[in-house]
Amino acid sequence: MPDTPNSPGNRKSSITEQTLSLGDRQIRYTAFAQWQTLFEHEKPVAEMFHVAYLAEVEQATLRPLTFVFNGGPGAASAYLHMGALGPKRVYFGSDGSLAKPPVRVVDNVESWLSFTDLVFIDPIGTGFSRSLAQDDKDTKQSEKANSGEAEKPKETEFWEVERDLKALGEFIGRFLSSHQRWLSPIFIAGESYGGFRVARLARKLQQEFGVGLCGAIVISPALEFSLLAGSDYNLTAWATLIPSFAASAAHHNRVQWAAEQGNLQAHIAAAEQFARTTLIPLLAMGDTMTPDERQTAYQQMAGLIGLPVELIERLGGRIGIEIFARELLRDQQRIVGLYDASITAIDPFPGRVNYEGSDPTLDGLDRLFTGAINSHLRDTLGVETDLSYHLLNLETFKAWKFELKGEFKQGFLGSVDDLRVGMALNPYMQVYIAHGLFDLVTPYFASKHLADMMKLNPHIRPNLTVKHFLGGHMFYTWDESRCLWLAQMKAFYDNATA
């Protein structure tokens, strides 16, 4: 059967009974691997694939229920599903290093199933989720095919900000209805662009779908797109990168920080202070800063992030992630990962001006998670389908419409305003933002900076927690960080449901 969005006939739900052993106790649970239909004007338009793990307890309504998704946009939920939260996980080295083939899937004793039921959602176009053909659209598509015009995937109507959020909101409401869980403590968790989704849904679920949240977990998020790329005129983005550069340089022994006696936290605290009080004024003042003052700042930056002062001076203190990733270990002809700068790889073309190799973190993960999720769904959970599992759909990413509200649709996309409104609407909702120190793509200091800028009312400011861990974008692949995160999340859930 072809892998097309028009083939729902092979989509058979799978419901199995499973057991998770946590050493001191066992959790019996039911695993639902199913497609849920989405509707538009009461007509089916898509089928969203999801895997739900619901523990066998006397009063299921009292047990927390967490909806989980990843980002991209275009990423399936397999990263959080098989990396940290689910009952099975991919095996990594203790420091998050990639294991050699073949892929190993192990029991996850740090699974969140120990304190919450879990629902992993694959947005349309990712995983096994597909849109459905419509009769009136079939005719149009046929006409396009006859005219020689390229046919676009039908999923594209879901590949924009508001339609995506609406689909997730509809899914959550329908799931609560079908499983009689409207009275359960409800949480949402998302990684990367999924963190953006969480922040937006913190408001939208309440206002448009009537879903109240006990908690929102935001993991390695991109909350404000203005902080993803700096320019000559957008200054803050450059500053938010500095602490992650400093942490990464210290990890690779590229900085002289004897005064801190090997204290990583003291080093990144110094980098945070430099970013706020020295770099932003340096960039903002432009040519009005004296050459001596500018040189002093460049020397200080070089001592923090481990790059030559001549390079920093030439770039005027504006150091992008690609520059840092290639230059930090250039003398070893190695490059550090953008998503986890603690991981390195050989630069295959060290003599070329631009880096032309693959990212050692994101690209290296594909073989692990593709093998793990396919084995888990098809073998362990018994899903029978000829559809391909889209782990990371680049077509989705390339086609995504990052459109803004308003008449002019100018500026950067953001989600912090929605998070602020959501927290004000529901002063009981707890929010937890987590990052990895070595993540250069979504640096931890960006979220820390935004939290300081939110001007939350003193009554709800304690509801917001921002933490960072050793590791990169997927810091939970580090054993130490995953265990520490688990302990903190147990306390977070206890507090949110008290």
Side-chain angles (χ1 to χ4, degrees), residues 29 31 33 49 51-53 68-70 76-93 103-112 118-122 191 365-381 383 389 391 474-479 482 485:
Y29 62 94
F49 182 76
V51 177
Y53 301 110
V68 185
F69 32 82
N70 273 83
S77 62
Y79 297 98
L80 286 172
H81 186 171
M82 302 297 297
L85 276 59
K88 301 283 186 180
R89 67 171 178 87
V90 178
Y91 173 80
F92 284 83
V103 179
R104 289 175 58 190
V105 176
V106 299
D107 291 337
N108 185 16
V109 295
E110 291 87 31
S111 172
W112 289 16
L118 296 163
V119 185
F120 295 94
I121 308 170
D122 292 338
E191 180 179 51
L365 292 171
D366 282 357
R367 65 176 175 84
L368 297 178
F369 281 93
T370 298
I373 192 64
N374 274 285
S375 173
H376 183 61
L377 295 179
R378 300 177 192 275
D379 302 336
T380 304
L381 301 187
V383 176
Y389 190 91
L391 177 68
M474 299 166 60
F475 59 85
Y476 45 79
T477 61
W478 290 50
D479 288 352
R482 188 175 59 256
W485 191 35

Side-chain angles (χ1 to χ4, degrees), residues 323-358:
I323 294 292
F324 178 83
R326 197 175 193 209
E327 296 298 330
L328 183 67
L329 302 178
R330 178 178 278 277
D331 60 332
Q332 300 177 10
Q333 296 187 5
R334 300 189 74 85
I335 186 167
V336 303
L338 298 179
Y339 289 84
D340 187 343
S342 71
I343 295 176
T344 69
I346 295 172
D347 186 343
F349 310 108
R352 298 183 183 178
V353 175
N354 297 318
Y355 179 67
E356 299 180 22
S358 298

Side-chain angles (χ1 to χ4, degrees), residues 24 207 215 344 391 393:
D24 59 335
Q207 287 187 328
T344 69
L391 177 68
N393 191 343

Side-chain angles (χ1 to χ4, degrees), residues 49 136 200 271 303 313 363 375 382 423 435 474 487:
F49 182 76
D136 56 339
R200 291 289 304 272
E313 182 178 8
D363 294 338
S375 173
M423 295 181 72
H435 280 273
M474 299 166 60

Side-chain angles (χ1 to χ4, degrees), residues 289-333:
M289 180 172 279
T290 68
D292 288 344
E293 291 174 320
R294 192 178 294 112
Q295 190 64 28
T296 298
Y298 295 155
Q299 292 281 357
Q300 189 177 355
M301 185 187 293
L304 288 168
I305 69 173
L307 295 187
V309 67
E310 297 80 12
L311 174 64
I312 294 172
E313 182 178 8
R314 177 165 59 85
L315 296 176
R318 293 170 168 85
I319 309 299
I321 60 175
E322 291 85 0
I323 294 292
F324 178 83
R326 197 175 193 209
E327 296 298 330
L328 183 67
L329 302 178
R330 178 178 278 277
D331 60 332
Q332 300 177 10
Q333 296 187 5

